Structure formats: C-alpha cells, structure tokens
Amino acid sequence: MLEQDTFALTDPQELRSLIRGHGWAILITAADDGPVVSHLPVLLDRDGSGGDTSDDAGGMPALVGHLARADAELHRLGERKVTVVIQGPHGYVSPSMYEATPYVPTWNYVVAHLHGQPDILDADATYDVLRRTVDHFETARPKPWRLDSVTPYAQSIAVHTTGFRLTPTRVVAKHKLSQDKPHDVAARVADALAGDDPHRNPELAHAMRKVQVPRD
C-alpha cells in the first residue's frame, strides 16, 4: 500500500478503534506456490488485567484470532510472516458530491496492514480466544449468547481450530478521507454521504468528519 503522509493513520488509539469496530479481517501468507488468503475474525490482544495490550514495537496494537486448523496448516502459520488486513469504512465518492470542478471519481477508505510472524496459541489460549470472540460480537444483542452455554460441544470442535497472536513488527495504516481537498469541498462530500445520496454511507461520513480541519 502506497504510504502518503497526507493520509497516514499513526495514532495507536485510532488503530485500536478500527480493529474493535471492524474485526472481520484478511490473513495473507506468501507461500512457495503463491499467496494463501483466509478471512477470519480478529480481536485486540489483552493484558493480564483484561485490558487491551500494546506491548508490540511502537505501541501498535497486537492481535489474536483463530481459523480452521486445516487453513492454518495451509498458511504454515507460525513459520512464515503474514499480513493481516483490517478494512474499515469505505465507499465510492462521485464528483457530483464535490459541487465543484474539475474532479473525478474516487474511493475513500480506512484500512490497516499489520505485518509480522504470529505465535501459535495452545489449546487453552485458543479456547479463550474463541470465547472472547463470541463475547465481542454478541455484545450488541439484548441477551448475549455465551460459548459456555454449550461447553462440551464447543470444546469438541475447538480442537479443529488454531489460535494465534500477532505482535506486528510493521504497521501501515491509511485513512484516505479527502484530506487533500479544500475543507468546504470535503465537508460537502461528508454531508452527501450522511444524507440521502444514492451512495449514502453514514459510517464513512463520520470517519471523514473526524479528520476535517479547516485550513486557511
């Protein structure tokens, strides 16, 4: 991913927020016969007190996740470096949203690439990741379902999963949100995305407004 200072996302807290809100990730490994790609849920790692940890280099967020054991074997997980892609809000921006000219269509987005070599978790730690994953995604439900309600069954299938922890050695993150446009133009785009435009995208509009700072 092209690194551009204008769009660089370097705040560790913003990165953690991105991961918390967009935990469906892409895991990529460069194998001898081509890339291996999996889609999987990930969470922020946590410290001994149950809070998020950032013990990795540069204070960047560390991740935990799990995938089917067969997929982990295809990745040779733990033996090779990987990239985990976290995709945040994104969407099409029509030139008509700018109410100015000349402009062409573009795509605004928030994304992070976390690079490193993951550590494989043992059975107990893997089961803890499974439990935490369920708890995380059930939080929004009025009566959250818990993995412990089916412990014997859950444990019987957990043996077919592989948990991992990734402490990234390099993070490249980007929020391309029209920061390169005049403030009034970018504000009109955010308003269009938040309104009744055919490409309405309130989450992207919110992300844009977080970075919009009037310029002289």
Side-chain angles (χ1 to χ4, degrees), residues 28-209:
I28 305 167
T29 303
D32 295 336
D33 57 350
V36 180
V37 182
S38 291
H39 301 258
L40 70 165
V42 297
L43 305 172
L44 288 167
D45 194 11
R46 65 183 185 187
D47 59 26
S49 65
D52 299 336
T53 185
S54 59
D55 292 336
D56 46 292
M60 293 294 107
L63 299 177
V64 292
H66 73 280
L67 66 168
R69 177 167 292 181
D71 289 338
E73 290 172 354
L74 286 175
H75 282 274
R76 289 173 58 182
L77 204 65
E79 301 176 30
R80 292 174 166 170
K81 293 181 179 179
V82 305
T83 299
V84 173
V85 179
I86 307 292
Q87 176 67 67
H90 64 94
Y92 177 77
V93 176
S94 167
S96 61
M97 295 179 184
Y98 293 115
E99 298 180 18
T101 192
Y103 286 110
V104 295
T106 191
W107 204 277
N108 279 2
Y109 58 89
V110 183
V111 69
H113 295 179
L114 292 83
H115 306 271
Q117 186 161 323
D119 297 316
I120 301 300
L121 302 178
D122 63 24
D124 288 342
T126 294
Y127 194 80
D128 183 60
V129 169
L130 295 173
R131 182 188 293 109
R132 286 187 56 213
T133 300
V134 170
D135 290 348
H136 175 75
F137 290 103
E138 285 281 330
T139 299
R141 301 187 65 81
K143 295 182 179 179
W145 184 89
R146 301 302 182 196
L147 193 63
D148 291 341
S149 66
V150 292
T151 297
Y153 175 69
Q155 290 178 337
S156 72
I157 61 175
V159 297
H160 302 293
T161 65
T162 298
F164 67 91
R165 176 181 292 106
L166 174 64
T167 301
T169 54
R170 179 171 175 251
V171 175
V172 179
K174 191 171 183 177
H175 52 179
K176 179 185 171 292
L177 300 170
S178 299
Q179 299 98 315
D180 57 333
K181 303 296 189 295
H183 179 264
D184 59 332
V185 172
R188 287 197 291 270
V189 173
D191 288 345
L193 292 170
D196 57 1
D197 189 272
H199 290 98
R200 184 175 186 272
N201 192 330
E203 187 182 19
L204 183 59
H206 176 70
M208 289 183 64
R209 286 169 173 161

